[in-house]
């Protein structure tokens, strides 16, 4: 469950006060949630000597890794003297200390770690020095190895009210939902038509992601192709394919979250709540709030949550969408 930044900090403060603070946290959520700003606040809270920014904390001994070079990857590195790499973090976090003896490591855009870097980072996760705090920041946690995800505590952040910036595909979905609401909805044909439009958005999304990753791979091949052997090329091809699918799953989940926000606003308007996730679409969700009963809206939300859960399994995507959309939009 994502939290507002202030609430998440309160929960971490409570964990600290109760002696239950973890040594590794995965900070997730949309880019508008300002992960780096939040991470600096976490360090301020835990260490007790506010620096306010990650740059300030770097000056106090924190090790901050970011994607490097033209390929924007975080790599394992040659050795501990290779700056900006996992080997460098491993060495420095054991040799340096921040105020009050804390050893601090922050990985920005952690999904940019390649597989070798992630596997190497596991050692630090499993055997951290005393008084270590590790923060991994990412908008795409699905791209991290399950072995990493299982060893960190996830803190999901919400974007501040009014700060959310929708992607091209999210905007298209909002237009589709608005047209559906304007037509009155509630029919089988309407639900199936909406499902078809949703699938078209997903297909376009997948094509765009494939083009983006393949262009990046071509640049890497031009840069590294003459200095590495064929095994690297094949391995990177497999990594690119995996990254395309991971990105697709992550952004499909964002579209499902948008559907849930749409229905959530319907329920919120029925309850007279002041805050809406999608205030610019208030008139459309208000029209649905007047047509459906609260119990009906709750049932539709349950269907969409079940659909979202099914999409994370090996279920046939098209079939799952058809069944889910008929139940959520067709009756």
């Amino acid at each position: 469950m994502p939290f507002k930044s202030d609430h998440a900090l309160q929960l971490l403060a409570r964990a600290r006060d109760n002696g239950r603070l973890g040594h590794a946290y995965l900070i997730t959520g949309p880019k508008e949630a300002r992960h780096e700003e939040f991470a600096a606040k976490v360090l301020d809270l835990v260490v007790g000597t506010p620096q306010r920014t990650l740059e300030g904390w770097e000056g106090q001994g924190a090790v901050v890794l970011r994607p490097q070079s033209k390929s924007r990857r975080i790599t394992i590195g040659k050795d501990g003297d290779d700056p900006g790499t996992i080997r460098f973090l491993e060495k420095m976090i054991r040799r340096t200390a921040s105020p009050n003896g804390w050893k601090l490591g922050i990985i920005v855009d952690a999904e940019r770690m390649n597989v070798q870097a992630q596997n190497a980072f596991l050692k630090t996760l499993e055997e951290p020095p005393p008084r270590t705090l590790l923060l991994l920041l990412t908008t795409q946690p699905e791209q991290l190895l399950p072995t990493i995800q299982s060893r960190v505590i996830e803190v999901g952040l919400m974007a501040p009210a009014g700060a959310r910036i929708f992607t091209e595909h999210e905007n298209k979905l909002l237009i589709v939902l608005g047209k559906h609401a304007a037509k009155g909805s509630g029919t089988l044909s309407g639900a199936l038509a909406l499902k078809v439009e949703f699938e078209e958005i997903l297909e376009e999304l997948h094509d765009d992601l494939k083009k983006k990753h393949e262009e990046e791979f071509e640049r890497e091949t031009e840069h590294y192709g003459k200095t590495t052997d064929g095994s690297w090329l094949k391995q990177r091809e497999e990594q690119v394919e995996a990254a395309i699918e991971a990105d697709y799953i992550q952004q499909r989940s964002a579209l499902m979250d948008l559907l849930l926000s749409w229905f959530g606003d319907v329920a919120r308007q029925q309850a007279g709540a002041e805050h809406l996730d999608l205030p610019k679409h208030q008139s459309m969700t208000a029209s649905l709030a007047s047509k459906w009963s609260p119990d009906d809206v709750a049932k539709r939300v349950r269907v969409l949550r079940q659909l979202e859960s099914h999409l994370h399994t090996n279920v046939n995507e098209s079939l799952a969408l058809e069944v889910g959309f008929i139940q959520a939009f067709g009756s």
Side-chain angles (χ1 to χ4, degrees):
M1 174 186 294
F3 300 100
K4 292 183 178 180
S5 177
D6 289 346
H7 188 197
L9 286 171
Q10 290 172 6
L11 294 175
L12 289 170
R14 188 182 308 164
R16 176 203 60 187
D17 296 342
N18 292 334
R20 299 180 63 183
L21 192 71
H23 75 275
Y25 288 88
L26 177 64
I27 312 302
T28 65
K31 60 183 181 297
E32 293 84 12
R34 301 170 185 167
H35 295 176
E36 293 190 44
E37 182 180 312
F38 179 79
K41 290 180 179 179
V42 172
L43 300 184
D44 291 349
L45 171 72
V46 173
V47 181
T49 55
Q51 302 298 320
R52 295 183 174 80
T53 66
L54 288 187
E55 289 74 16
W57 276 108
E58 284 186 275
Q60 295 296 313
V63 183
V64 181
L65 297 190
R66 302 175 186 276
Q68 300 289 314
S69 75
K70 186 177 180 180
S71 65
R72 293 201 73 250
R73 307 297 296 181
I74 298 174
T75 62
I76 186 172
K78 298 176 181 178
D79 53 42
D81 295 322
D82 192 359
T85 66
I86 293 298
R87 294 294 188 217
F88 180 79
L89 182 147
E90 289 176 338
K91 175 183 176 180
M92 297 305 295
I93 205 168
R94 295 177 186 278
R95 291 193 176 186
T96 61
S98 297
N100 298 326
W102 280 94
K103 297 178 181 295
L104 308 171
I106 302 93
I107 302 181
V108 179
D109 295 336
E111 77 281 355
R112 303 301 296 178
M113 285 190 287
N114 61 26
V115 175
Q116 294 90 339
Q118 292 191 49
N119 280 319
F121 182 63
L122 278 172
K123 181 180 179 181
T124 303
L125 271 180
E126 293 170 344
E127 302 174 6
R131 292 181 73 76
T132 291
L133 179 62
L134 300 169
L135 303 178
L136 283 71
L137 320 182
T138 180
T139 59
Q140 302 175 42
E142 296 84 358
Q143 292 204 38
L144 296 176
L145 294 174
T147 45
I148 286 183
Q149 295 184 50
S150 66
R151 287 167 172 78
V152 297
I153 300 171
E154 183 172 355
V155 179
L157 299 179
M158 299 170 57
R164 183 169 182 180
I165 300 174
F166 297 108
T167 67
E168 175 188 354
H169 303 98
E170 288 171 338
N171 275 319
K172 287 182 177 179
L173 177 56
L174 288 170
I175 291 171
V176 167
L177 289 172
K179 285 168 28 182
H180 182 75
K183 290 178 180 178
S185 69
T187 66
L188 176 61
S189 61
L192 290 175
L194 182 59
K195 177 255 186 183
V196 168
E197 291 188 88
F198 187 73
E199 284 188 312
E200 289 174 350
I201 293 172
L202 291 179
E203 183 177 355
E204 182 180 299
L205 167 64
H206 193 277
D207 289 344
D208 289 348
L209 291 173
K210 184 177 179 181
K211 180 180 179 181
K212 169 192 167 186
H213 282 281
E214 287 181 346
E215 288 176 349
E216 182 178 306
F217 176 59
E218 288 178 6
R219 290 194 297 269
E220 288 185 357
T221 302
E222 291 175 4
H223 186 71
Y224 296 110
K226 296 180 180 179
T227 60
T228 56
D229 58 23
S231 62
W232 172 87
L233 185 62
K234 181 171 178 55
Q235 186 179 49
R236 265 310 275 142
E237 286 177 343
E238 294 173 351
Q239 291 174 358
V240 167
E241 290 178 6
I244 292 170
E245 292 310 309
D247 268 5
Y248 174 71
I249 291 171
Q250 189 266 338
Q251 294 197 39
R252 184 184 64 189
S253 293
L255 291 170
M256 289 300 303
D257 286 343
L258 189 57
L259 281 175
L260 287 166
S261 291
W262 181 270
F263 276 93
D265 276 4
V266 175
R268 279 184 277 273
Q269 293 199 71
Q270 289 178 332
E274 294 183 5
H275 169 76
L276 297 177
D277 284 351
L278 307 168
K280 292 183 179 180
H281 302 271
Q282 180 176 357
S283 62
M284 292 299 181
T285 51
S287 70
L288 296 176
S290 66
K291 296 172 184 175
W292 296 334
S293 70
D295 287 345
D296 196 20
V297 173
K299 182 191 75 172
R300 294 170 192 271
V301 170
R302 286 195 298 270
V303 167
L304 286 176
R305 289 195 183 281
Q306 187 177 48
L307 171 60
E308 183 180 34
S309 177
H310 286 166
L311 289 174
H312 286 286
T313 68
N314 292 326
V315 69
N316 179 280
E317 180 185 81
S318 182
L319 180 59
L321 289 173
E322 182 171 317
V323 172
F325 272 55
I326 288 173
Q327 293 178 345
F329 295 97
S331 58

